[in-house]
Each structure stands twice: as C-alpha cells, then as structure tokens.
C-alpha cells in the first residue's frame, strides 16, 4: 500500500480476492495475517464485495480485529475506523461494522479454523 491508499496488485492480492469470492458469509474464508496487513487491505480496496465473505485474524500490534466468534473475545461492534492523514484513527458512522477486540481467546478461533479446514480436506 502507498501513502495515497493505492492498492498493490500482486499474486497474493489476486488469490485473496479469488478465494474470498468463492466463499460466502455462511462459510467464510479465514485469513490469518501476521504483521503488515497490506495484502488484505489491497484486496479489500480492489474488491470491496469480498468483505462479507472473509474473517480476518490480524496478529499485528493494533487492537482492531475483524473476528466473528462471539465467545472468543471481549468486544464491541463499532463502525470501521478510518486513518486520517495525520495518522490518527477516527470512527465514521457510514463505515461498515467491525469488531473491536480487547482480548482474544485465540485457541477457540484457531480450533474453529482448523476444524473447518479439516472438513474441507475430506
């Protein structure tokens, strides 16, 4: 990603879009992002229609996460934050909702992820 929020078009971004479009809200694509979330951000900017078909688990240092398992975390649903040009986060009521996470019981989420993955493998 650039400072001007121009998405990069990489193989990883295209693969994320392809996989997310083949998923559904009832059977979402789980994406576990470690550190920088540039590929996920680029995929969402290029194909905003995929946002309902993915669950992003971001293991970065920021406390904003898009997690759907309600028993796994202490959370609240807020409008998606927007980063301004000065580097400050602001909420905007017109943005899609995200779950703001203060604590994650990651074993529950990862168990669900691996159970679904194993079921798809046959």
């Amino acid at each position: 990603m650039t400072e001007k929020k121009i998405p990069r078009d990489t193989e990883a971004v295209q693969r994320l879009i392809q996989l997310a479009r083949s998923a559904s809200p009832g059977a979402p694509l789980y994406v576990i992002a470690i550190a920088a979330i540039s590929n996920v951000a680029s995929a969402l900017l290029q194909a905003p229609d995929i946002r309902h078909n993915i669950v992003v688990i971001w293991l970065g240092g920021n406390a904003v996460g898009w997690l759907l398992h309600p028993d796994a975390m202490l959370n609240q649903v807020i409008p998606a934050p927007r980063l301004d040009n000065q580097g400050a986060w602001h909420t905007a009521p017109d943005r899609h909702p995200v779950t703001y996470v203060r604590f994650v019981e990651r074993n529950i989420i990862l168990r669900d992820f691996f159970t679904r993955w194993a079921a798809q493998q046959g």
Side-chain angles (χ1 to χ4, degrees):
M1 295 282 300
T2 67
E3 291 178 15
K4 297 179 182 178
K5 299 180 185 172
I6 298 171
R8 291 192 178 172
D9 192 16
T10 65
E11 283 185 46
V13 169
Q14 290 307 311
R15 184 71 173 142
L16 279 171
I17 292 169
Q18 176 190 19
L19 291 170
R21 285 186 172 151
S22 67
S24 68
L29 170 68
Y30 278 82
V31 177
I32 300 176
I34 300 171
I37 197 156
S38 305
N39 286 329
V40 175
S42 288
L44 287 165
L45 285 170
Q46 284 188 34
D49 60 288
I50 68 173
R51 72 185 180 278
H52 299 294
N53 296 351
I54 62 173
V55 175
V56 178
I57 301 169
W58 184 12
L59 302 178
N62 200 321
V64 176
W66 301 338
L67 306 170
L68 297 179
H69 199 298
D71 297 332
M73 67 203 88
L74 301 172
N75 66 69
Q76 63 186 27
V77 176
I78 62 169
R82 179 175 287 135
L83 187 63
D84 67 20
N85 291 336
Q86 286 74 45
W89 290 99
H90 301 280
T91 57
D94 62 328
R95 302 272 295 177
H96 63 279
V98 298
T99 302
Y100 179 82
V101 179
R102 292 183 298 276
F103 172 79
V104 173
E105 183 62 51
R106 71 174 185 218
N107 291 343
I108 294 170
I109 296 167
L110 294 175
R111 187 178 310 115
D112 180 55
F113 167 76
F114 285 113
T115 300
R116 290 176 189 240
W117 180 71
Q120 289 185 350
Q121 303 306 306

